[in-house]
Amino acid sequence: MKKIVECVPNFSEGRNSEIIEAIANAIKNTPGCTLLDVDPGKSTNRTVYTFVGSPEAVLEGALASARIAYKLIDMRHHKGEHPRMGAMDVCPFIPVSDVTMEECVALSEEFGRRAAAELGIPIYLYEYSAKADYRRKLPDIRAGEYEGLPEKLQKPEWKPDFGPAQFIPNWGATATGARNFLIAYNVNVLGTKQQAHRIALNLRETGRGIDNPGLLKEVKAIGWWVDEYNMAQISMNLTNYEITPPHIAFESAKAQAKLLNVGIAGSELVGLIPLKAILMAADYYIKNENLLILEEEQKIKLVIDRLGLNSISKFEPKKKIIEYMIEDKSSERLVNLTVKEFINEIAARTSSPGGGSASATIAAIGAGLGTMVGQLTYGIRKFENVDKEIRSVLPKLYDTTQALIPMIDRDTQAFDEYMRAMHLPKDTAEEEKIRNQKMQEGIIKAIEVPLTTMKLANSIWNEMQAIATYGNIASHSDVEVGAKALETGIWGAYKNVLINLPMVEDENYRNTILDEAKQIVDVAHQEAQKVLDIISQRIGKSI
């Protein structure tokens, strides 16, 4: 996986389109940076930029945008609804893929050092990068805002982490740091600014003070009035969406608004959102409303409707969900081929794709056949008596089918990675050592990928047996083929584990994996037979 960092700088300009575009161009023109979103707000007079790239590229993109802001933004003339203290008010670095929080801390420190040295501006570290607890939270650093900086900068406890401890009138100060993925989320209120703020105080973690905390953890919130919407909003930062996700924030806001006899009219996402947060919301509404929705696209539509995400502007998943914005199709080469092209790839005079990718394909087809029969049973009037049983197994069958599909490419990628390690230089003792280490890492990956295929396929025998028991009997041959395909896919993946195991130097690892894989194959053989036996009994009874 590529190292991917997200950077979400907030600039104190949301009205001048030329300045907004100039900053966007500085990011877009930085090699290796992909600008995902530009979200200006007139009332807040603030623009949030979201871009991603390698750690090195994102650092350069952040510096490039700061240089443009230094030339074009003058804080002496800034007014807006949103709290702020600088032209580049905040510049967080967020781990997205194959990057640790520690790496993002180091990145923020390097940004702080270089920006302060080049532009002569005061910079504070916050969140995971903070050197003291009282500087960890952004509202504490930003307290007093731009207007309070001349006095604040004179206090020893507020000496910047980088740059001069003096007021720079055109700039102010900047906070940078490493943090978790933050979701900026606004709930629309058909009431007054004061009512929106009352609800915000009830919801936000700090509440109205130490003795009167709010209802939701990891939530910052204020109420404000947005002129261009002619509406109040509860503006929230969800600082850890796994603790308080958007759907909980929205439902909590609705409950508080009801107590005040105030209407809620949907919500607004500012910037991007992780797919996981959307799917968490989908699961919540599916469970609460006793729905059965399998496809990701339909789950997203459900969430858009339930949260009212189209209320301000159209919510476009491909422009708002971060995984969709940075989707790397190069990792899905095989699964995007036609069936004919894929078979010809296997038949070609190359060692990959081979048995591992073929086995993952066969296993995915087996799971897919079980899913198909379930869908041919669910929602049909004459099968309403087994609705509960089919509902209970279809999601697992569908999700496992989707999980097996990427294994088709991953198996080939793992083998290719091992082959690249084999061709590393070995002219010196150090090169030989590095080559051997990379080969061991590669061969272990080439074992663990098919082992994962085995585990995934082996996890749905109960569901396959339920489909055999309750599914549409007219499709019994599909269930039988599915069971044998699942078993064959597991057996094929097992053979790929076996052929690679002898090359692993760690004997304990070899023995552990061998025992685990053998047990899975034995279970698969027994469970597949149970599916066939169930079908045989049902066919006999129907005759």
Side-chain angles (χ1 to χ4, degrees):
M1 293 176 65
K2 292 181 179 179
K3 287 181 176 288
I4 298 176
V5 173
E6 181 188 49
C7 186
V8 191
N10 290 213
F11 291 90
S12 296
E13 177 56 68
R15 299 165 186 167
N16 188 315
S17 60
E18 291 183 2
I19 295 176
I20 294 168
E21 187 175 351
I23 294 172
N25 287 335
I27 296 167
K28 283 192 288 188
N29 293 333
T30 302
C33 285
T34 301
L35 182 62
L36 300 179
D37 191 61
V38 179
D39 201 329
K42 291 182 179 179
S43 291
T44 57
N45 198 11
R46 183 182 188 88
T47 299
V48 179
Y49 297 80
T50 304
F51 64 100
V52 295
S54 68
E56 299 78 14
V58 164
L59 172 61
E60 296 303 326
L63 288 166
S65 65
R67 293 184 193 108
I68 296 297
Y70 189 84
K71 291 178 182 178
L72 300 180
I73 297 176
D74 190 337
M75 287 299 293
R76 287 171 288 195
H77 309 298
H78 184 271
K79 298 291 181 185
E81 287 284 338
H82 200 287
R84 79 285 182 270
M85 67 176 182
M88 175 191 258
D89 189 57
V90 60
C91 184
F93 296 89
I94 302 125
V96 174
S97 173
D98 203 30
V99 177
T100 65
M101 188 63 74
E102 289 72 22
E103 288 176 283
C104 285
V105 167
L107 205 58
S108 68
E109 291 173 344
E110 182 65 14
F111 170 78
R113 275 191 292 270
R114 289 180 58 182
E118 181 179 337
L119 303 177
I121 55 177
I123 292 183
Y124 293 96
L125 295 172
Y126 82 113
E127 283 284 352
Y128 286 92
S129 302
K131 304 301 181 185
D133 283 343
Y134 73 93
R135 296 187 181 208
R136 200 163 301 282
K137 295 186 177 182
L138 185 57
D140 293 336
I141 294 176
R142 203 158 50 193
E145 298 190 41
Y146 169 81
E147 290 77 10
L149 280 174
E151 180 182 350
K152 189 172 191 174
L153 285 160
Q154 300 306 309
K155 298 177 180 180
E157 66 271 24
W158 286 108
K159 179 182 177 182
D161 291 284
F162 302 103
Q166 64 185 65
F167 182 55
I168 311 297
N170 64 304
W171 183 267
T174 295
T176 186
R179 63 162 173 79
N180 291 315
F181 200 101
L182 179 147
I183 297 175
Y185 181 62
N186 302 331
V187 175
N188 305 322
V189 178
L190 301 178
T192 66
K193 173 183 175 179
Q194 290 75 16
Q195 288 171 321
H197 193 59
R198 281 179 66 185
I199 297 170
L201 292 175
N202 291 342
L203 296 180
R204 69 186 188 185
E205 183 170 6
T206 56
R208 291 175 168 77
I210 296 175
D211 297 328
N212 193 6
L215 298 171
L216 303 178
K217 299 291 185 183
E218 299 290 343
V219 174
K220 301 170 184 176
I222 60 173
W224 61 28
W225 182 266
V226 184
D227 287 332
E228 59 259 45
Y229 302 160
N230 190 33
M231 188 162 47
Q233 285 188 326
I234 306 158
S235 177
M236 290 181 272
N237 281 341
L238 310 180
T239 55
N240 189 333
Y241 71 87
E242 297 204 29
I243 292 177
T244 299
H247 63 276
I248 295 300
F250 182 73
E251 294 299 330
S252 300
K254 281 175 60 178
Q256 291 297 310
K258 186 175 182 179
L259 296 176
L260 297 178
N261 296 316
V262 171
I264 295 294
S267 61
E268 175 189 31
L269 182 71
V270 181
L272 300 182
I273 188 169
L275 177 61
K276 182 177 179 180
I278 293 286
L279 296 181
M280 287 169 66
D283 289 343
Y284 172 86
Y285 290 112
I286 287 169
K287 181 178 179 181
N288 275 17
E289 299 172 30
N290 195 28
L291 306 174
L292 178 62
I293 300 176
L294 301 177
E295 295 181 15
E296 189 170 280
E297 183 179 352
Q298 291 190 1
K299 290 181 178 182
I300 292 169
K301 287 179 179 178
L302 175 71
V303 174
I304 292 171
D305 178 78
R306 296 301 188 266
L307 298 184
L309 291 174
N310 284 330
S311 59
I312 300 297
S313 58
K314 184 174 176 59
F315 182 92
E316 299 182 58
K318 291 193 178 297
K319 294 182 179 179
K320 282 295 188 180
I321 297 175
I322 190 167
E323 286 84 351
Y324 291 178
M325 294 290 291
I326 62 175
E327 208 166 22
D328 182 9
K329 291 297 183 182
S330 64
S331 65
E332 300 177 354
R333 188 181 70 84
L334 295 177
V335 300
N336 286 321
L337 297 176
T338 65
V339 173
K340 180 179 179 180
E341 289 168 341
F342 178 56
I343 293 172
N344 283 333
E345 282 269 340
I346 290 176
R349 195 176 179 180
T350 57
S351 53
S352 68
S357 290
S359 298
T361 305
I362 295 166
I365 290 171
L369 283 167
T371 306
M372 180 194 81
V373 177
Q375 299 213 65
L376 291 174
T377 308
Y378 170 72
I380 306 299
R381 186 170 184 176
K382 67 178 179 178
F383 299 123
E384 284 181 350
N385 61 313
V386 295
D387 181 79
K388 179 181 177 181
E389 289 79 5
I390 297 298
R391 277 173 172 263
S392 69
V393 299
L394 249 183
K396 179 72 179 290
L397 286 167
Y398 179 86
D399 290 344
T400 302
T401 304
Q402 300 308 307
L404 282 165
I405 292 170
M407 305 309 294
I408 298 168
D409 274 289
R410 286 179 193 165
D411 196 277
T412 294
Q413 291 161 3
F415 179 79
D416 290 344
E417 192 172 312
Y418 171 72
M419 294 303 292
R420 284 193 295 271
M422 279 190 68
H423 290 94
L424 288 173
K426 53 179 178 178
D427 299 327
T428 67
E430 182 62 24
E431 286 178 346
E432 180 79 33
K433 180 181 177 182
I434 292 171
R435 177 177 177 271
N436 186 64
Q437 180 183 338
K438 292 294 182 183
M439 285 177 62
Q440 285 298 298
E441 291 173 359
I443 202 63
I444 286 174
K445 188 172 182 180
I447 290 167
E448 291 184 348
V449 169
L451 184 64
T452 300
T453 297
M454 295 176 70
K455 291 177 180 177
L456 285 169
N458 202 52
S459 70
I460 55 171
W461 288 117
N462 287 339
E463 286 73 18
M464 290 293 288
Q465 288 157 21
I467 292 297
T469 303
Y470 303 107
N472 186 341
I473 196 62
S475 299
H476 68 83
S477 64
D478 299 304
V479 182
E480 292 169 307
V481 173
K484 291 303 287 184
L486 206 58
E487 181 191 4
T488 302
I490 290 170
W491 180 86
Y494 172 61
K495 289 299 180 180
N496 276 264
V497 170
L498 290 187
I499 199 170
N500 291 320
L501 265 181
M503 290 180 276
V504 177
E505 294 173 353
D506 186 338
E507 184 179 359
N508 289 334
Y509 177 86
R510 291 200 309 267
N511 293 335
T512 300
I513 296 300
L514 181 61
D515 290 344
E516 183 178 9
K518 183 65 168 64
Q519 183 178 1
I520 292 173
V521 168
D522 291 343
V523 167
H525 179 70
Q526 296 164 12
E527 298 300 318
Q529 189 58 49
K530 289 180 183 177
V531 174
L532 301 181
D533 291 344
I534 292 169
I535 292 295
S536 293
Q537 290 172 12
R538 286 189 70 189
I539 293 173
K541 288 179 181 178
S542 66
I543 292 172

